């Protein structure tokens, strides 16, 4: 494994072993959720409606941003990251720190694209195991995302008169 990792890394350290560990945790969580669903007599739906997919998509987006960027959730990322500045609108920029699994977890927790895979999996598993609770959580997160968009539009509209002024 060391030779493969050295050949892969080049000039930048990449914690492949940590990533393998995280993939193992992910696979174990998916397997555990499957076993729990089976024990409760539940099965995956035959299909998802367009409404289901829209709800899951919007909720996954918002939950992933909360986990990976939100200033309020920084304490959960702090053991794996270093504050690098504000990203605006209540979000942080953070640098991953540490080595091995610590670095791998930091990359997972600061990447909304990476986090979204775990979040979407959780929503799908939750939809099988506890559908009412999961749908309620997804609806709440979708409403928060809609509210965020309205806040940004409102803030942008407040500055329209300033932007319309010609530069002297």
């Amino acid at each position: 494994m060391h030779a493969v990792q050295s050949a892969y890394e080049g000039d930048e350290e990449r914690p492949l072993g940590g990533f393998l560990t995280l993939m193992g945790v992910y696979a174990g969580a998916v397997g555990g959720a499957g076993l729990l669903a089976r024990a409760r007599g539940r099965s995956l739906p035959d299909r998802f409606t367009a409404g289901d997919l829209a709800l899951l998509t919007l909720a996954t987006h918002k939950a992933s941003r909360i986990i990976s960027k939100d200033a309020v959730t920084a304490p959960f990322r702090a053991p794996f990251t270093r504050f690098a500045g504000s990203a605006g609108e209540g979000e942080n920029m953070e640098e991953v720190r540490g080595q091995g699994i610590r670095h791998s977890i930091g990359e997972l927790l600061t990447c909304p694209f990476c986090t979204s895979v775990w979040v979407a999996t959780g929503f799908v598993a939750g939809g099988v195991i506890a559908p009412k609770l999961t749908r309620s959580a997804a609806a709440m997160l979708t409403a928060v995302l809609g509210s965020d968009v309205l806040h940004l539009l409102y803030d942008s509209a407040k500055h329209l008169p300033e932007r319309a002024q010609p530069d002297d």
Side-chain angles (χ1 to χ4, degrees), residues 27-161:
V30 170
L35 290 173
L36 180 59
R38 177 174 275 181
R40 296 187 72 191
R42 309 269 183 165
S43 61
L44 290 171
D46 291 331
R47 68 184 63 82
F48 290 93
T49 67
D52 290 335
L53 290 175
L55 182 67
L56 289 172
T57 300
L58 296 170
T60 295
H61 171 79
K62 185 58 189 173
S64 298
R65 297 298 299 187
I66 290 171
I67 292 167
S68 64
K69 299 291 181 188
D70 200 279
V72 175
T73 57
F76 299 113
R77 296 185 306 274
F80 312 99
T81 63
R82 179 176 295 107
F83 179 75
S86 173
E89 312 306 337
E91 291 190 344
N92 288 348
M93 290 186 302
E94 295 166 331
E95 297 172 352
V96 176
R97 60 189 175 104
Q99 297 176 344
I101 189 68
R102 182 180 188 187
H103 186 96
S104 299
I105 293 170
E107 286 203 27
L108 173 64
L109 291 177
T110 58
C111 172
F113 297 96
C114 306
T115 304
S116 67
V117 174
W118 293 64
V119 170
T121 301
F123 276 126
V124 171
V128 171
I129 297 166
K132 289 181 181 179
L133 177 63
T134 302
R135 186 174 274 294
S136 296
M140 181 274 302
L141 287 164
T142 299
V144 172
L145 177 61
S147 178
D148 289 351
V149 169
L150 292 174
H151 286 301
L152 292 169
L153 289 172
Y154 178 82
D155 190 54
S156 181
K158 286 191 317 187
H159 299 288
L160 283 176

